[in-house]
Amino acid sequence: MKKFNIEDWEIDVEQETGNDDYIYGNYVDWDEFRTTEEENLLSYFEVDIPWGKEISCQEFFDFLSQEVFYNTSIINSYPFEDLEIIETGPVMSDLLFLFPSRKDLEYDMLVSDIFDYCEVPSGTAYEDDLPQELQFWYSMMEEEFLESEYEYYKNYPLGFANFNESILDIKSKMSSASDTLTKKSLLLSSFIISESLYKSTIVSKIPTENNISEFSKEILSKSLGEKLRGNVDTRNKLFKKIFNVKSPKQEWIALRNSLSHDIESSKLVGDCISYINLKDGKEYTENIYDLFEKQINFYEELKCIVETDNEK
């Protein structure tokens, strides 16, 4: 059965701005997309729901036999066995049923369950969690910079020694800072540096191809740049392919996304920062110095992976 492919749709994106009209990035209200495109999506997935119609036994059987119901237990969550019989006869084929209305609350979640199965996104996705083609800053950088992210980290890598020096310097400044906004900015800077180290490490392992055309080099550079600019899952998959091991845990990604999305929305009390995870909408609290330790552990594990790989 066909699953949702974002490339087949024109997705309306909104821009999120601050009080000073600074653009944080794009976002997509996928629930709104599901609602406005419901009929088109059902047609796209070739799912037929005869809302409010009179249907025969055969038509009811055809409805139940659709792949989305046949391969899942979705149908078990709804009282289809209680359909109203509006016409009877001497044989089964004479029966007519009244299919529920789309507005029937008992069946309100049916379409949502179908869309979940077909992998249609839900909720609200912000800049860092959007596909690259829907991101505001990715589009801006594509327009303004010819150099791909791959080329940037190939030419300006962040080494382990420089990272260690930088992260300790930021931690020291954090200890002496009194302003909460300054502390949040320093914390976000540390996350960006950790991300730069990760990307630099990935790029350092990619061999330079000299025996291919300039056009092929350009295609390769663009493809790798897109993967590096992608979300953390995309980068982790690339890391696994290159080093043949899972990447070290990056336990600050949700906070990093929250800070880059709206740095003022988080609350800093003492050494603890509370923030809303953009994916699940829940509030979490972290000790800022624990976060530095996690980044240092990340650096040490990453360095160990590289050293082990170099010994092969």
Side-chain angles (χ1 to χ4, degrees), residues 6 29 59 78 132 137 150 156 183 205 215 273 291 306:
I6 197 170
D29 185 340
E59 289 170 326
Y78 303 92
Q132 290 176 347
W137 290 109
Y150 164 70
Y156 311 104
K183 287 188 174 183
K205 181 63 178 175
F215 177 73
I273 186 167
L291 289 165
V306 171

Side-chain angles (χ1 to χ4, degrees), residues 90-126:
V91 294
M92 197 73 167
S93 59
D94 291 334
L95 289 175
L96 278 182
F97 302 93
L98 180 62
F99 200 87
S101 164
R102 175 67 181 87
K103 297 179 181 179
D104 192 321
L105 294 180
E106 284 187 294
Y107 298 87
D108 192 49
M109 289 298 295
L110 177 62
V111 173
S112 180
D113 287 342
I114 293 170
F115 289 167
D116 287 346
Y117 173 74
C118 295
E119 301 177 2
V120 182
S122 60
T124 302
Y126 293 95

Side-chain angles (χ1 to χ4, degrees), residues 32-245:
E32 179 67 21
F33 172 76
R34 285 181 171 211
T35 299
T36 57
E37 296 290 343
E38 180 176 308
E39 291 187 13
N40 292 330
L41 283 165
L42 289 172
S43 176
Y44 174 79
F45 298 126
E46 299 180 348
V47 175
D48 180 35
I49 306 178
W51 296 118
K53 293 183 180 179
E54 297 178 1
I55 59 173
S56 66
C57 278
Q58 182 60 51
E59 289 170 326
F60 184 44
F61 177 76
D62 291 341
F63 167 75
L64 297 176
S65 299
Q66 294 180 94
E67 184 177 341
V68 67
F69 303 129
Y70 186 78
N71 290 338
T72 70
S73 60
I74 290 175
I75 211 72
N76 298 335
S77 301
Y78 303 92
F80 284 107
E81 68 275 7
D82 297 331
L83 290 187
E84 180 184 350
I85 300 174
I86 59 175
E87 190 172 314
T88 61
V91 294
M92 197 73 167
S93 59
D94 291 334
L95 289 175
L96 278 182
F97 302 93
L98 180 62
F99 200 87
S101 164
R102 175 67 181 87
K103 297 179 181 179
D104 192 321
L105 294 180
E106 284 187 294
Y107 298 87
D108 192 49
M109 289 298 295
L110 177 62
V111 173
S112 180
D113 287 342
I114 293 170
F115 289 167
D116 287 346
Y117 173 74
C118 295
E119 301 177 2
V120 182
S122 60
T124 302
Y126 293 95
E127 179 80 2
D128 289 337
D129 293 318
L130 288 174
Q132 290 176 347
E133 59 268 28
L134 298 182
Q135 293 177 359
F136 175 81
W137 290 109
Y138 175 78
S139 299
M140 291 291 289
M141 285 190 290
E142 282 288 281
E143 292 174 3
E144 294 182 12
F145 300 102
L146 295 177
E147 186 175 55
S148 76
E149 194 148 333
Y150 164 70
E151 294 294 337
Y152 175 84
Y153 284 104
K154 186 171 71 172
N155 295 326
Y156 311 104
L158 177 63
F160 287 105
N162 288 336
F163 169 84
N164 192 42
E165 181 180 336
S166 297
I167 205 77
L168 292 177
D169 181 53
I170 292 174
K171 184 179 178 182
S172 175
K173 289 178 179 176
M174 176 77 77
S175 300
S176 59
S178 57
D179 179 65
T180 57
L181 184 58
T182 300
K183 287 188 174 183
K184 291 178 187 178
S185 299
L186 287 168
L187 191 58
L188 178 57
S189 296
S190 74
F191 298 152
I192 292 172
I193 288 174
S194 290
E195 185 176 296
S196 295
L197 175 69
Y198 189 45
K199 292 179 179 180
S200 296
T201 302
I202 291 173
V203 170
S204 69
K205 181 63 178 175
I206 299 173
T208 302
E209 295 290 345
N210 295 318
N211 298 322
I212 59 176
S213 67
E214 288 301 316
F215 177 73
S216 297
K217 287 181 181 179
E218 183 179 331
I219 297 298
L220 178 63
S221 175
K222 183 176 181 181
S223 175
L224 290 169
E226 289 175 352
K227 292 183 185 299
L228 290 169
R229 275 189 191 148
N231 60 34
V232 66
D233 288 337
T234 301
R235 291 194 292 272
N236 287 346
K237 288 177 182 177
L238 180 59
F239 183 92
K240 177 76 182 301
K241 285 183 178 179
I242 292 173
F243 289 97
N244 203 31
V245 294

